[in-house]
């Protein structure tokens, strides 16, 4: 019996990737029951959580997708150049609040970023700013000499071979309100960054964009708003699909959380899953299929999908599309299924929105989304902890949390900038290992999905900064203060993730420490997956 028990505990241990089949875009090949092995008179079920390539993958709760809106607003500053990454797209503004003002003529302090198409206009803007601050003689023949933001001593930028040091020096100058140094360092950085260069050069292009936005939005000068050309829904979907293919973050999230939920629900007849980032709902197709093949028959499954307008925009429709898709899929497997539409942001969720029913076994999924909830540093209501306490009051059987391992929530600007530089350097290196430097799909994915997170972290403050990551230690404290206790992830979850990583660079690895999974690139932890009850 001990052998049987050990084998059952490690049953979910393999993840297979099969070729894409010619099926409807909404139908995907999920994980399967591999075999049922009789041992000592008992049945041992092995389950494979199978990843699959989606032809229309989008917005699946990503470390690279911000939960904010894209539109023109008076609370946006417009800057760029012909050498910065956003130029082909025109002007974009990224904000966290849905309100729109009737007066869209000007930008205002404390915004996200947007861009202009003409590089000469940037030069004029920066020159005007420097003239305003320093006088018209600030651009002289000795413009290769700069003040060090850290030591206030003269230095030659060309003598700094490390692009990281130049970026940090520029951030230090802005932090110290040394505008002379900041403007000149930004001008020097223009010639050293490139969206088709090495990882640090590509990241540097987006970080420079964030620094410009922060500098111009923090001053007294207000510039006219320029028209915004945002990516279309299909463009955003395509970019997310590329990111899904070249990075294992989503598969890490889906497989680890599905394994936990499957194990917790293996003997339940009525299951209710609340997904706080439902997106297209594709994560749950694999779970529906494996539960349909469960010995003793399929359970009744109900899914509550929490949505936001960004997901709906990329998806090309509301949650009714997701519900119909999942309902049809469940019907094909003979699974009793119900979908509940909760088309509101996580910050707005109250008990009545979740329609809890007695007799249901509840699972709650937080995939790369809880860091978007403002905490006590942003609002007195503290939606982050409020939501955790609300979920705990529902007595769920299991709660899954997947988050980026980064510390940008309450950090001041300069340490936040350095943390962002360190974290996204690892991410851009990992992307670089998957696609060529001149790959247009990679460039589009980085611009539409990753860059705006970087810019939001650097350029925005207060409620407009929606990318507020915390390391696992802080999440653990929040969850335990809300009354949760940790659940150890099964070793089989680690095995399935290790199988996923075989398709990626050898620099990716997964670690298990104290029942928590860590997705790493070299020595940098990128994401964590944990379970709670």
């Amino acid at each position: 019996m001990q052998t049987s028990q050990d084998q059952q505990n490690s049953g979910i241990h393999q993840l297979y990737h099969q070729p894409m089949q010619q099926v409807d875009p909404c139908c995907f090949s999920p994980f399967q029951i591999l075999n049922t092995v009789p041992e000592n008179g008992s049945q041992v079920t092995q389950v494979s959580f199978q990843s699959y390539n989606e032809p229309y993958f989008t917005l699946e709760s990503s470390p690279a997708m911000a939960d904010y809106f894209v539109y023109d607003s008076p609370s946006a500053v417009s800057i760029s150049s012909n050498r910065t990454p956003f130029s082909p797209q025109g002007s974009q503004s990224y904000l966290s609040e849905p309100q729109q003002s009737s007066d869209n003529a000007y930008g205002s302090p404390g915004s996200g970023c947007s861009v202009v198409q003409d590089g000469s206009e940037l030069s004029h803007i920066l020159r005007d700013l420097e003239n305003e601050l320093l006088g018209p003689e600030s651009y002289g023949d000795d413009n290769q000499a700069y003040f060090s933001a850290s030591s206030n001593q003269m230095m030659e930028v060309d003598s700094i071979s490390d692009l990281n040091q130049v970026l940090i020096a520029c951030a230090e100058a802005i932090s110290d309100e040394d505008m002379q140094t900041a403007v000149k360092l930004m001008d020097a950085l223009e010639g050293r960054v490139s969206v088709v260069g090495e990882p640090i050069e590509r990241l540097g292009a987006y970080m420079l964009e964030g620094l410009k936005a922060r500098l111009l939005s923090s001053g007294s000068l207000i510039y006219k708003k320029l028209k915004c050309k945002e990516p279309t829904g299909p463009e955003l979907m395509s970019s997310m699909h590329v990111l899904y293919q070249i990075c294992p973050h989503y598969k890490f999230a889906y497989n680890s959380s599905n394994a936990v939920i499957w194990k917790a629900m293996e003997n339940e007849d009525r299951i209710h899953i609340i997904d706080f980032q439902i997106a297209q709902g594709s994560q749950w197709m694999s779970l529906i299929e494996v539960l349909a093949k469960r010995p003793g028959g399929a359970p009744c499954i109900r899914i509550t999908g929490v949505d936001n307008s960004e997901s709906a925009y990329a998806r090309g429709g509301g949650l009714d599309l997701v519900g119909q898709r999942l309902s049809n899929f469940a019907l094909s497997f003979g699974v009793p299924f119900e979908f509940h539409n909760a088309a509101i942001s996580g910050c707005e969720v109250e008990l009545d929105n979740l329609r809890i029913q007695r007799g249901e076994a509840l699972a709650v999924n937080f995939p790369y989304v809880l860091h978007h909830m403002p905490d006590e540093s942003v609002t007195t209501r503290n939606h982050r902890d409020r939501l955790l306490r609300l979920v705990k009051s529902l007595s769920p059987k299991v709660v899954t949390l997947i988050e980026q391992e980064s510390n940008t929530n309450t950090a001041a600007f300069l340490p936040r900038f350095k943390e962002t530089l360190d974290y996204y350097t690892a991410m851009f290196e990992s992307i670089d290992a998957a696609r060529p430097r001149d790959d247009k799909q990679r460039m589009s994915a980085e611009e539409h999905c990753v860059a705006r997170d970087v810019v939001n972290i650097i350029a925005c403050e207060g409620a407009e900064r929606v990318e507020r990551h915390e390391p696992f230690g802080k999440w653990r404290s929040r969850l335990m203060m809300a009354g949760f206790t940790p659940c150890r992830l099964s070793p089989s979850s680690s095995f399935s993730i290790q199988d996923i990583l075989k398709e990626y660079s050898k620099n990716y690895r997964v670690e298990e420490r104290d029942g928590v999974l860590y997705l790493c690139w070299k020595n940098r932890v990128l994401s964590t997956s944990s379970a709670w009850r």
Side-chain angles (χ1 to χ4, degrees), residues 58 77 129 135 150 217 243-244 269 290 316 344 377 383 398 454 473 491 495:
T58 177
V77 173
L129 176 60
S150 59
S217 66
L243 204 62
Y244 175 81
D269 295 327
V290 76
I344 54 178
S377 67
H383 293 287
V398 67
V454 172
F495 297 153

Side-chain angles (χ1 to χ4, degrees), residues 73-138:
S73 164
S75 183
V77 173
S78 302
I79 61 171
S80 186
S81 79
N82 58 350
R83 284 178 286 183
T84 52
F86 297 97
S87 299
Q89 291 299 322
S91 172
Q92 294 183 341
S93 303
Y94 304 109
L95 297 175
S96 60
E97 300 297 331
Q99 296 94 332
Q100 285 196 0
S101 168
S102 59
D103 180 9
N104 280 338
Y106 299 95
S108 67
S111 75
C113 84
S114 59
V115 297
V116 301
Q117 298 184 25
D118 187 0
S120 63
E121 185 158 358
L122 171 70
S123 299
H124 291 312
I125 290 174
L126 292 177
R127 187 180 295 272
D128 289 344
L129 176 60
E130 189 164 21
N131 287 344
E132 181 80 11
L133 295 169
L134 308 174
E137 303 301 324
S138 57

Side-chain angles (χ1 to χ4, degrees), residues 152-179:
N152 218 27
Q153 299 294 321
M154 299 297 288
M155 69 177 182
E156 292 287 336
V157 168
D158 289 340
S159 68
I160 303 179
S161 59
D162 189 347
L163 182 56
N164 288 44
Q165 293 180 12
V166 184
L167 287 165
I168 292 173
C170 188
E172 288 176 340
I174 293 177
S175 179
D176 294 339
E177 299 184 359
D178 182 354
M179 299 309 174

Side-chain angles (χ1 to χ4, degrees), residues 186-494:
M186 287 193 297
D187 186 59
L189 283 167
E190 281 284 350
R192 305 183 67 166
V193 298
S194 169
V195 295
V196 295
E198 296 180 1
I200 184 56
E201 294 173 337
R202 303 202 308 270
L203 173 59
Y206 299 118
M207 299 198 77
L208 175 58
E209 194 72 27
L211 289 171
K212 293 174 188 173
R214 184 178 185 89
L215 176 62
L216 294 182
S217 66
S218 64
S220 59
L221 302 179
I222 298 178
Y223 299 99
K224 65 179 180 179
K225 179 192 66 66
L226 301 175
K227 284 190 175 181
C228 170
K229 182 179 182 242
E230 63 188 43
T232 64
E235 287 173 337
L236 199 52
M237 292 171 73
S238 176
S239 295
M240 288 305 301
H241 179 56
V242 170
L243 204 62
Y244 175 81
Q245 290 177 316
I246 64 181
C247 296
H249 299 80
Y250 301 109
K251 296 174 185 177
F252 171 76
Y254 291 174
N255 282 268
S256 60
S257 58
N258 275 353
V260 171
I261 294 172
W262 175 83
K263 184 66 177 176
M265 301 297 179
E266 60 182 345
N267 296 317
E268 300 294 339
D269 295 327
R270 296 176 58 198
I271 299 171
H272 183 189
I273 299 171
I274 301 175
D275 188 348
F276 275 88
Q277 185 90 347
I278 189 68
Q280 287 181 283
S282 57
Q283 173 179 355
W284 306 116
M285 290 183 168
S286 54
L287 190 61
I288 288 172
E289 181 171 352
V290 76
L291 289 173
K293 298 176 180 179
R294 192 178 67 180
C300 296
I301 302 175
R302 191 158 66 95
I303 294 179
T304 293
V306 179
D307 197 28
N308 56 68
S309 62
E310 176 95 349
S311 294
Y313 167 74
R315 192 169 51 233
L319 277 173
D320 54 323
L321 297 177
V322 177
Q324 189 60 51
R325 176 189 186 193
L326 291 175
S327 296
N328 291 339
F329 189 84
L331 181 63
S332 69
F333 284 92
V335 176
F337 181 82
E338 179 183 343
F339 184 81
H340 171 222
N341 179 334
I344 54 178
S345 73
C347 293
E348 299 172 313
V349 169
E350 301 287 353
L351 179 59
D352 292 343
N353 303 122
L354 303 178
R355 298 185 185 177
I356 302 300
Q357 297 179 8
R358 288 188 177 183
E360 293 180 327
L362 180 64
V364 179
N365 190 41
F366 287 116
Y368 295 124
V369 67
L370 201 54
H371 71 270
H372 288 150
M373 308 301 155
D375 69 349
E376 66 277 1
S377 67
V378 182
T379 172
T380 55
R381 196 170 183 204
N382 190 355
H383 293 287
R384 190 170 298 193
D385 291 347
R386 180 191 68 84
L387 194 57
L388 287 175
R389 290 194 298 269
L390 173 62
V391 169
K392 178 58 181 175
S393 71
L394 306 178
S395 300
K397 287 206 68 174
V398 67
V399 173
T400 55
L401 175 70
I402 299 91
E403 280 292 346
Q404 291 175 250
E405 184 68 4
S406 184
N407 189 12
T408 62
N409 182 24
T410 58
F413 166 68
L414 186 56
R416 186 168 81 236
F417 181 91
K418 293 178 180 179
E419 172 75 356
T420 302
L421 179 61
D422 184 69
Y423 181 89
Y424 283 95
T425 293
M427 178 173 284
F428 273 74
E429 286 180 355
S430 68
I431 294 174
D432 193 65
R435 288 292 178 99
R437 297 277 169 84
D438 59 351
D439 186 275
K440 292 184 178 179
Q441 288 185 326
R442 175 200 57 75
M443 294 169 61
S444 178
E446 287 178 349
E447 177 183 343
H448 291 153
C449 303
V450 184
R452 59 187 193 172
D453 288 8
V454 172
V455 172
N456 181 259
I457 294 171
I458 295 172
C460 299
E461 297 293 348
E464 289 180 339
R465 181 158 62 86
V466 297
E467 295 302 315
R468 292 179 168 273
H469 305 105
E470 292 186 321
F472 177 72
K474 291 188 177 181
W475 288 118
R476 178 175 54 202
S477 296
R478 287 187 186 276
L479 284 153
M480 295 183 72
M481 287 179 64
F484 289 96
T485 57
C487 305
R488 294 186 63 89
L489 296 179
S490 169
S492 58
S493 299
S494 177

Side-chain angles (χ1 to χ4, degrees), residues 15-18 29-32 48-52 255 286:
L15 187 147
Y16 296 90
H17 299 275
Q18 294 182 354
S29 177
F31 61 81
Q32 302 172 339
S48 169
F49 288 88
Q50 182 170 355
S51 294
Y52 34 81
N255 282 268
S286 54

